[in-house]
């Protein structure tokens, strides 16, 4: 039997799904879970293919304004190997200026997880706009944003496909050489913000042993590098107690999954 709400959106009746017993609900959940697991595996396979994309050498020199002054694209890496740059629209002519950045870009900014987790995976996240640094600092303070945010001063946005629309570019640093490894925009940007989604678009991925990555890519035991965002120590060995806890949790999960019917 299907339930019908009296007041749906626009005054139209809202037809709700059937209300069933706990047993029937669990059966429906497991039926959907088969497709959800297939989607997860497909997403993992796509990320593995992304890690094998060819790279494009960045030959030009780009300059940005940062709180500490003029910096280069190489500087934005902050010594790490991976750099993610989101082009946010905050500048004269953008709806909301100067009080706000673009509404869509602001939603993206609101979703950004604590960047310490990305940093722990050798990855730096930076937002870039054409607004002056003084305006960016004021906006970040008002909105409670803490990610690095620089000012574009040259053709960086045009050269990397983000002069007229938002987008996320990914770069890899090999010594002082820089390579563009990936780019996503439009609806592909709407999932950005979470640590895992960011890592999945990088050339090194999550860097965990279960991933299908090219030979020689850095990989560490799954879960073991996880930490509180204020407790990461570079090159530190995983906490012994956390290793035991995560091992026990993973074993229990594997046992439960093995007992589930496909």
């Amino acid at each position: 039997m299907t339930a019908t709400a009296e007041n749906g959106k626009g005054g139209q009746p809202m037809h709700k799904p059937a209300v069933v017993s706990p047993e029937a609900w669990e059966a429906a959940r497991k039926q959907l879970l088969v497709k959800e697991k297939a989607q997860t595996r497909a997403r993992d396979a796509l990320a593995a293919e992304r890690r094998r994309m060819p790279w494009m050498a960045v030959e030009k020199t780009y300059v940005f304004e940062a709180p500490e002054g003029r910096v280069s694209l190489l500087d934005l890496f902050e010594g790490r190997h991976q750099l993610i740059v989101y082009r946010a629209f905050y500048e004269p002519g953008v709806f909301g200026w100067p009080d706000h950045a673009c509404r869509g870009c602001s939603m993206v900014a609101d979703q950004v997880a604590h960047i310490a987790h990305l940093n722990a995976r050798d990855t730096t996240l930076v937002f870039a706009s054409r607004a002056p640094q003084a305006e960016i600092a004021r906006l970040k303070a008002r909105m409670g944003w803490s990610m690095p945010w620089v000012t574009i001063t040259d053709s960086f946005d045009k050269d990397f496909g983000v002069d007229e629309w938002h987008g996320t570019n990914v770069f890899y640093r090999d010594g002082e050489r820089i390579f563009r490894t990936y780019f996503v925009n439009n609806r592909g940007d709407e999932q950005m913000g979470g640590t895992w989604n960011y890592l999945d678009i990088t050339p090194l991925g999550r860097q965990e042993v279960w991933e299908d990555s090219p030979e020689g890519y850095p990989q560490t035991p799954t879960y073991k590098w996880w930490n509180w965002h204020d407790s990461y120590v570079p090159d530190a060995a995983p906490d012994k107690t956390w290793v035991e806890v995560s091992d026990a949790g993973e074993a229990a999960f594997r046992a439960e999954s093995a007992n589930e019917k496909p």
Side-chain angles (χ1 to χ4, degrees):
M1 180 176 180
T2 302
T4 303
E6 294 184 359
N7 296 308
K9 186 176 181 180
Q12 297 297 317
M14 188 178 78
H15 297 281
K16 297 180 179 180
V19 177
V20 298
S21 68
E23 294 77 15
W25 185 90
E26 185 62 24
R29 186 193 74 85
K30 289 184 176 180
Q31 185 177 10
L32 183 61
L33 184 61
V34 173
K35 295 181 179 179
E36 290 176 335
K37 287 186 174 182
Q39 183 186 41
T40 297
R41 296 187 185 101
R43 185 178 66 239
D44 291 341
L46 185 60
E49 185 175 349
R50 191 180 292 122
R51 289 191 288 278
R52 291 166 170 83
M53 273 189 59
W55 295 358
M56 183 194 83
V58 178
E59 306 291 358
K60 292 177 62 174
T61 299
Y62 296 96
V63 177
F64 306 85
E65 289 291 341
E68 65 271 26
R70 293 171 69 83
V71 296
S72 67
L73 181 61
L74 186 64
D75 292 328
L76 297 187
F77 283 81
E78 297 181 347
R80 302 182 182 95
H81 283 95
Q82 302 191 131
L83 172 66
I84 301 171
V85 181
Y86 175 72
R87 199 315 193 189
F89 276 83
Y90 178 51
E91 57 207 55
V94 171
F95 175 66
W97 173 266
D99 295 329
H100 283 289
C102 157
R103 288 184 175 181
C105 295
S106 297
M107 287 190 68
V108 172
D110 280 338
Q111 296 177 69
V112 173
H114 203 291
I115 61 174
H117 303 296
L118 287 176
N119 296 164
R121 292 279 92 177
D122 200 15
T123 304
T124 300
L125 173 68
V126 175
F127 273 42
S129 299
R130 284 197 170 271
Q133 277 298 297
E135 294 293 346
I136 290 174
R138 183 191 56 77
L139 179 68
K140 288 175 63 178
R142 171 177 177 169
M143 301 300 286
W145 298 329
S146 60
M147 72 287 286
W149 197 320
V150 297
T151 301
I152 301 168
T153 67
D154 47 33
S155 62
F156 175 86
D157 48 2
K158 183 175 179 58
D159 292 349
F160 292 100
V162 288
D163 55 326
E164 297 181 354
W165 195 242
H166 63 85
T168 302
N169 278 282
V170 184
F171 302 93
Y172 185 85
R173 178 184 65 82
D174 185 2
E176 293 193 353
R177 297 197 67 193
I178 299 174
F179 302 89
R180 187 190 195 192
T181 65
Y182 188 68
F183 173 66
V184 61
N185 62 0
N186 296 320
R187 283 199 63 196
D189 258 346
E190 71 183 16
Q191 65 175 331
M192 293 295 104
T195 300
W196 305 123
N197 284 333
Y198 277 131
L199 290 177
D200 282 347
I201 66 172
T202 64
L204 299 183
R206 304 185 187 190
Q207 303 163 55
E208 295 184 336
V209 294
W210 62 269
E211 285 184 301
D212 175 12
S213 292
E215 184 177 356
Y217 276 41
Q219 291 185 314
T220 60
T222 308
Y223 308 126
K224 305 305 181 285
W225 66 273
W226 297 10
N227 209 337
W228 298 293
H229 73 248
D230 64 348
S231 300
Y232 283 110
V233 177
D235 302 319
D239 180 84
K240 182 177 181 295
T241 301
W242 170 240
V243 170
E244 295 172 353
V245 169
S246 60
D247 279 347
E250 185 173 9
F253 168 75
R254 298 299 178 194
E256 181 181 352
S257 297
N259 293 328
E260 287 183 352
K261 294 181 180 180

